[in-house]
Amino acid sequence: MSDVRHVLVLPDRDAAEEAAQVLGERFGLNEEPQLVRDALAGEDDAEDAQWLLVLRDEDERLDPVALDEFAGEWEGWREEP
């Protein structure tokens, strides 16, 4: 079993929360993705933050291209490892 993780970068909290709900349904996840706020150093304004969805994929069954397309539906992207 490996420690593969995918990180989806989304533009705001609403998009991240909505994507997290749909993600489980669409990709059949057993575990809810972790939601993380990522702000630039020194930036406290929520407008300047990005939101990350971190997905564990130990079995390496999730398609990176499909995840990138999925994140694009919310104007986001999948971060390359």
Side-chain angles (χ1 to χ4, degrees):
M1 195 176 277
S2 66
D3 187 28
V4 174
R5 295 179 193 270
H6 300 281
V7 177
L8 305 182
V9 181
L10 297 155
D12 59 54
R13 184 180 188 128
D14 291 339
E17 289 176 342
E18 185 178 338
Q21 289 179 347
V22 174
L23 191 65
E25 297 166 9
R26 188 175 301 176
F27 290 92
L29 301 178
N30 296 328
E31 180 178 318
E32 192 168 317
Q34 181 182 7
L35 180 63
V36 179
R37 180 179 181 264
D38 182 36
L40 299 172
E43 296 291 337
D44 290 330
D45 188 355
E47 301 258 336
D48 294 326
Q50 295 176 325
W51 290 83
L52 309 177
L53 289 178
V54 181
L55 310 155
R56 291 177 48 196
D57 186 20
E58 285 108 5
D59 298 331
E60 297 184 44
R61 65 178 191 81
L62 298 174
D63 177 20
V65 174
L67 288 172
D68 192 38
E69 291 172 357
F70 175 83
E73 294 175 24
W74 282 272
E75 299 180 16
W77 64 90
R78 185 184 71 86
E79 208 44 47
E80 288 295 328

